[in-house]
Amino acid sequence: MKRWNVVITGFGSVGKQVAKLLEQRQAHYREQYGVEVKLVGVARSSQGVYDAEGLTQSALEAFGHEKRSTDTPFTGTDFITSCKADILIETGPSQLETGGPGLSYIRQALDQGMHAIAVSKGALVVDYAGLSALAKHRGVMLKISGATAAALPTIDLLQYNLAGCQILAVEGIFTGTTNFVLSSMMEEGISCEEAIARAQQMGIAEPDPSFDIDGWDTACKVTILANAAFGAQLKHTDLSRTSVRDVTKEQIEEWKSAGKSPKLVGRIRRTTEGLHASVELQAVDQSHPFSTVKGTTKAIRVETDVMGELLVIGGKSDPVAAAAAALKDLEHIIRQP
Ligand SMILES: NC(=O)c1ccc[n+]([C@@H]2O[C@H](COP(=O)([O-])OP(=O)(O)OC[C@H]3O[C@@H](n4cnc5c(N)ncnc54)[C@H](OP(=O)(O)O)[C@@H]3O)[C@@H](O)[C@H]2O)c1
């Protein structure tokens, strides 16, 4: 039976869920594809664990609880090389300025002929074009569902389902946290600060919510989609961007009276001057499909030349869903002839 060896970099909320789902899906991989999928290596910030025969649940549990090692020097790229795996799943921090360790890891993996699945966004925001060219050169796949709204199909919709069409425009609610905050303000009449605090209590928003609230998360997803699906060469800082932080209770009351709902919308549109991408706060009226998208739910609407308009609403926003999106990518890799 063919065997696929997997290595995960980053073993936090998402990395741990990837490992769990991989274990739960062993029988599925054997029955559906006639292959073994083994998790052979996992790296954290300062140490890694490897077993050529596949890491056991107890080894992973112990590794997850290990204190950060400060005395043994650890180089993640060397660890990836030593694992001799077939697929890298990158779930480390999203470092947007330099691409951070994720960029080195994905480059290293592709360069040595491994397929790579990115859940972190840094590497893709900084150098999607370079990584994609490297993957092509090495004859391997670079998959990015986890970094582009995860459970909501975005990149697969554009690249697979609409293959051959010209995509005229994309708009989406790509960040569950901001939609939760705006929905809570609308439904409960609370302030933005109170809605953020509630999202934090529920584990929906990070302790520092600015990446989501200030529109950076949406900007990154729009940038990656524009670069991957439209061949653009955008940086996330090129996009005009709005924060939901400044939305006041008074504005909310005005929108309510006008029958509108505020949404943080990421947009990509072909124009006669070229591609235009942005993150905008838009008050949509009740006839707009996004008006029904509440809480942490996400959505994407696509306009095409010959397949018309498509709308997808849904997809959970949590680490399990992000892990599942990465493993959807894995299935697309292992099902290749
Ligand atoms: N959480 C979600 O729902 C979600 C959804 C979609 C995408 N994402 C993206 O997925 C990524 C992971 O998110 P998360 O919530 O799992 O983060 P997290 O809980 O903070 O975990 C991050 C992990 O990365 C590890 N790490 C840090 N520097 C590293 C390095 N140099 N080499 C190897 N590993 C390193 C950390 O190591 P230590 O354990 O040693 O600290 C930790 O295990 C982020 O980029 C995020 O933007 C998250």
Side-chain angles (χ1 to χ4, degrees), residues 106-139:
I106 295 172
R107 258 191 205 137
Q108 173 69 33
L110 295 172
D111 201 35
Q112 67 186 58
M114 292 169 67
H115 302 281
I117 297 169
V119 179
S120 63
K121 301 170 195 74
L124 306 176
V125 164
V126 170
D127 191 22
Y128 177 82
L131 294 173
S132 165
L134 179 58
K136 199 170 172 191
H137 177 64
R138 293 289 181 202

Side-chain angles (χ1 to χ4, degrees), residues 186 249-262 282-288 291:
M186 283 291 284
K249 281 185 175 182
E250 290 70 32
Q251 268 175 308
I252 292 283
E253 286 312 315
E254 278 171 31
W255 284 324
K256 266 192 205 168
S257 317
K260 295 189 169 192
S261 319
Q282 186 186 351
V284 296
D285 62 32
Q286 282 164 9
S287 64
H288 193 291
S291 68

